[in-house]
């Protein structure tokens, strides 16, 4: 069932990655530019202007889903970034290594968006030393490819391959227009468009106090044309104001495309 605020025709439809065993979720978009403006606003407020950064993509599984909101966002970041070019990598990891090495010696920060299993494949073959102008943004995504890792274990592996790089996690989903980012390996930072409340998994109207595990409920104010209040099947807790720890999925819930690393 499609939920809209008002009557309008969608210009774009985002689909989740999904699997062959599940129905893919869908989000109809009234204004694609609003999605891109919102994603840019959130990113720039936390990490700086797009034009000061070189964006690179290692999202092979998402390339198979051209209706991915993540891919749409990263494509925009690349075209508005310092190079104003799209740089996608999938199987040619040697070429990705050469590009990162070439640009990490410059004045611009290099930002590598990568799905977790592909990043692990990459660091199994390549290592960057003293990559202090590199930011690696892992977007989750181990399903169907590797055994699950905790986020802490994943970051340990990534730091071995990307020495001195900043390792960031991204949290987003098809149903939302906004994203959250985690810079310390644990706490995702809420922002002025996306806020989280924690509720009792067995009682959706009972909100829990900070430092209590429960269901993640998202208020996404950017969803002005669809559902701005979403009860997810993700498990988490709020440690302090404006930050939330993602602890995985609730029991018996489907694996979805958001970052559900423990």
């Amino acid at each position: 069932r499609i939920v809209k605020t008002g009557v309008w025709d969608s210009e774009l439809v985002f689909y989740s990655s999904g699997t062959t065993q599940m129905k893919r979720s869908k989000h109809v978009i009234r204004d694609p530019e609003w999605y891109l403006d919102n994603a840019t606003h959130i990113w720039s407020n936390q990490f700086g202007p797009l034009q000061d950064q070189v964006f690179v993509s290692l999202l092979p599984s998402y390339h198979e889903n051209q209706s991915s909101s993540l891919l749409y966002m990263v494509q925009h970041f690349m075209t508005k970034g310092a190079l104003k070019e799209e740089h996608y990598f999938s199987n040619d990891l040697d070429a990705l290594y050469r590009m990162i090495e070439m640009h990490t010696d410059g004045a611009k920060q290099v930002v590598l968006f990568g799905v977790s299993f592909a990043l692990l494949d990459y660091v199994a073959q390549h290592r960057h030393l003293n990559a202090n102008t590199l930011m690696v943004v892992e977007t989750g995504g181990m399903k169907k490819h590797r055994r699950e890792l905790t986020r802490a274990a994943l970051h340990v592996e990534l730091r071995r391959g990307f020495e001195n790089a900043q390792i960031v996690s991204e949290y987003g989903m098809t149903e939302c227009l906004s994203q959250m980012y985690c810079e310390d390996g644990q706490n995702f930072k809420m922002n002025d468009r996306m806020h989280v409340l924690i509720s009792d998994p067995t009682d959706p109207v009972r909100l829990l106090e900070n430092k209590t595990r429960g269901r993640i409920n998202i208020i996404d104010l950017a969803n002005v044309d669809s559902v701005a209040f979403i009860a997810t099947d993700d498990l988490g807790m709020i440690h302090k104001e404006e930050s939330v720890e993602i602890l995985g999925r609730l029991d018996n819930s489907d694996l979805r495309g958001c970052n559900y690393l423990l």
Side-chain angles (χ1 to χ4, degrees), residues 19-48:
T19 69
T20 56
Q21 288 78 35
M22 72 171 67
K23 183 178 179 180
R24 296 169 67 191
S25 58
K26 178 170 69 173
H27 191 174
V28 294
I29 305 300
R30 183 176 187 174
D31 183 0
E33 285 302 314
W34 169 238
Y35 169 72
L36 296 175
D37 288 347
N38 182 66
T40 301
H41 167 82
I42 293 171
W43 176 270
S44 299
N45 276 359
Q46 192 164 347
F47 300 111

Side-chain angles (χ1 to χ4, degrees), residues 46-250:
Q46 192 164 347
F47 300 111
L50 300 182
Q51 61 266 27
D52 292 341
Q53 298 162 323
V54 173
F55 292 92
V56 186
S57 165
L58 181 61
L59 301 167
S61 58
Y62 287 90
H63 294 165
E64 303 165 6
N65 175 21
Q66 291 299 308
S67 298
S68 160
S69 57
L70 174 63
L71 193 63
Y72 196 72
M73 179 186 78
V74 173
Q75 179 185 38
H76 176 71
F77 285 6
M78 288 190 288
T79 57
K80 296 299 181 181
L83 297 184
K84 302 189 182 306
E85 298 174 347
E86 298 177 23
H87 292 278
Y88 301 102
F89 294 88
S90 181
N91 298 319
D92 194 349
L93 301 184
D94 292 339
L96 174 58
Y97 175 82
R98 291 191 295 270
M99 182 172 184
I100 293 176
E101 284 291 289
M102 178 174 63
H103 289 288
T104 49
D105 289 336
K108 303 291 186 180
Q109 183 178 45
V110 178
V111 181
L112 171 62
F113 271 85
V115 67
S116 300
F117 77 85
L119 289 172
L120 288 175
D121 289 343
Y122 180 80
V123 298
Q125 300 180 35
H126 297 287
R127 183 181 179 190
H128 295 276
L129 303 177
N130 299 316
N132 51 17
T133 60
L134 174 65
M135 177 192 296
V136 178
V137 183
E138 59 91 0
T139 66
M142 301 287 285
K143 59 191 177 191
K144 301 188 298 181
H145 299 281
R146 285 171 174 260
R147 64 179 178 85
E148 291 300 319
L149 292 176
T150 65
R151 179 173 292 109
L154 171 64
H155 284 207
V156 167
E157 294 299 318
L158 295 182
R159 289 191 182 96
R160 288 174 180 167
F162 302 104
E163 186 178 289
N164 296 328
Q166 183 179 5
I167 308 298
V168 171
S169 298
E170 186 258 3
Y171 179 88
M173 59 182 66
T174 301
E175 294 84 352
C176 291
L177 290 190
S178 300
Q179 306 79 33
M180 293 188 297
Y181 298 96
C182 169
E183 299 182 62
D184 63 1
Q186 179 177 3
N187 295 295
F188 285 84
K189 184 179 179 181
M190 300 182 217
N191 51 66
D192 58 0
R193 306 289 172 83
M194 191 176 191
H195 196 80
V196 170
L197 300 174
I198 304 296
S199 67
D200 185 335
T202 63
D203 183 358
V205 300
R206 178 173 174 258
L207 297 181
L208 303 179
E209 297 180 353
N210 287 359
K211 299 185 179 180
T212 306
R213 296 160 61 101
R215 182 188 300 273
I216 290 177
N217 301 273
I218 293 175
I219 302 173
D220 185 8
L221 297 180
N223 275 2
V224 294
D225 297 306
S226 55
V227 180
F229 304 92
I230 300 170
T232 76
D233 285 330
D234 294 334
L235 181 69
M237 71 171 70
I238 296 174
H239 286 282
K240 54 186 178 181
E241 290 300 321
E242 308 307 324
S243 69
V244 57
E245 182 179 5
I246 311 297
L247 298 171
R249 301 288 288 171
L250 294 171

